[in-house]
Amino acid sequence: MSPTTLEVTARALVAPGKGILAADESHATIARRFEAHGIANSEENRRRYRQMLFTTKGIGEFISGVILFDETIRQAADDGRPFVEVLTRAGILPGIKVDRGAKALAGAPGEQVTEGLDGLRERLAEYGKLGARFAKWRAVIAIGEDGRTPTPRGIEANAEALARYAALCQEAAIVPIVEPEVLLDGGHSIERCLEVTEATLHAVFHALSAQHVTLEGLLLKPSMVLPGATAQHRAPVAEVAEATVRCLRRTVPAAVPGIVFLSGGQSDELATAHLDAMNRLPGPQPWPLSFSYARALQAAPLKAWGGDPARVADAQRAFLHRARCNSAARAGAYTPELERSAA
Ligand code: 13P
C-alpha cells in the first residue's frame, strides 16, 4: 500500500533533524509577547515580526513546517511574495491554527473546552486553497490545586472536539496536529501530571478511533510531563524525560508518525534539554520525538528584535541558533558547547 498524501505530509513534518515553528499566536497572545518588549501590537508590526522569522536564511535545514494564524496566512513579505510562498520556497510546509480558543465549559468550574467546530469544514477548504498543508487545534487541561479537576467530563469534551476537528482536517487532505496541553500552572507534582496526561491521552486516542481518524495521517502535540510551575519539588531533566516517554509509550499507538512537543512556558534551554534527554533514552521509540515550539523558539529572537528594523540580523541569528539546538536535540546531540556556540 503506498502512503497517502496525509501520511507523506505528516512524515515530512517530522523528517530527521527537523521540527515545527508555532507562529500562530492570536492577536491577544502576540499582544502579551510584544508588550513585554514595548512593541506596539499593530498589523504591520506583526507582519514585520513574522517576516523576520520566515526569511531567516538556512532555517529550512531545521524547520519542517510553520503554524500560521489566520491573519498571517494572508500576509506577504516586503517584496510582495505571500508568506506561504516564502515558506514553500524555503522547503517549509505552511500550517494553520484553526481552533477559536478555549472557553469555559458550562457547569464545570475551572475547566475549559476549545471552540471552533462550527463552519470548520468551510474554513479548512479555504485554508487548503491558501496553501495550508496541516492544521492545529489546542485543547487545554488545567490541573486544579484541590485534586478535583480535571474531571472525566472535562477531558472527554476536549477529546471529542479534538477528534471531530481531526476528522474534518483529514476529509480536507490537511494533516491535523492534535494538541492536548496539560497546563504547567499550579503546584502539582510530576506524578500528578503523569496521571492527568495519561488519562487525557487515553481519552484522546479513544475519541480519535471513535471518529474514524487515520492515525498514520496525524501528529500528536503533547505537553511534557513536568511538576507544576510553582511546585516545591523540581524534577531533574532525566526524570522529566523518563516520565514523559513512559506516559507516551502507555498511550500513543505506534501508528502515529510523530510526536511534536509544545514548550508550554519552559525556558528555551530547558525545553531543548528535555527533548534531548528523551532522545538519549534507550530506544528506539515507536515514533520520532520532535518539537513544535512557540515560546522556546521565539523568546530569544523576539527579545533581540525588539521591533527595531536595525536588529533583524541579530534576531535571525538568535532564531537560527535555537532552531539548530532543537534540531540537535532531536538526535540526542545537544551539548553545552553547541548552546554556547551562538556567542
Ligand atoms: P508553546 O511552545 O509556547 O507552548 O506554544 C506552542 C503552541 O503552539 C501552543 O498552542
Side-chain angles (χ1 to χ4, degrees), residues 22 24 33 67 97 136 138 179 181 221 261-265 292-296:
D24 59 325
R33 307 271 186 269
I67 315 174
K97 169 206 188 78
K136 180 191 106 170
R138 172 174 176 260
E179 180 181 4
E181 175 173 2
K221 176 163 171 168
F261 292 99
L262 60 95
S263 58
S292 174
Y293 296 159
R295 281 164 286 179

Side-chain angles (χ1 to χ4, degrees), residues 61-117:
E61 190 183 338
F62 310 120
I63 299 293
S64 56
V66 174
I67 315 174
L68 304 165
F69 187 60
D70 180 77
E71 174 184 86
T72 324
I73 200 170
R74 303 168 196 280
Q75 285 176 325
D78 289 346
D79 63 9
R81 286 185 308 151
F83 281 152
V84 167
E85 187 186 326
V86 170
L87 293 171
T88 307
R89 283 283 168 83
I92 297 171
L93 296 169
I96 183 76
K97 169 206 188 78
V98 300
D99 69 69
R100 293 209 151 138
K103 308 283 156 60
L105 178 64
E111 294 188 280
Q112 293 184 303
V113 67
T114 302
E115 295 189 347
L117 289 171

Side-chain angles (χ1 to χ4, degrees), residues 190 224-226 234-244 266 269-278 280-281 334:
I190 188 170
M224 296 181 194
V225 175
L226 297 158
R234 309 310 310 160
V237 168
E239 187 181 343
V240 170
E242 200 273 332
T244 303
Q266 303 176 63
E269 292 184 22
L270 209 46
T272 310
H274 285 146
L275 179 63
D276 180 70
M278 284 184 233
R280 284 177 193 256
L281 290 172
Y334 170 60

Side-chain angles (χ1 to χ4, degrees), residues 24-43 45-46 49-50 69 71 298 302:
D24 59 325
E25 295 83 2
S26 64
H27 293 333
T29 302
I30 198 85
R32 283 201 302 279
R33 307 271 186 269
F34 276 6
E35 200 183 355
H37 300 283
I39 306 164
N41 185 24
S42 62
E43 177 172 354
N45 277 346
R46 292 191 293 270
Y49 174 62
R50 268 92 183 221
F69 187 60
E71 174 184 86
Q298 293 187 51
L302 176 59

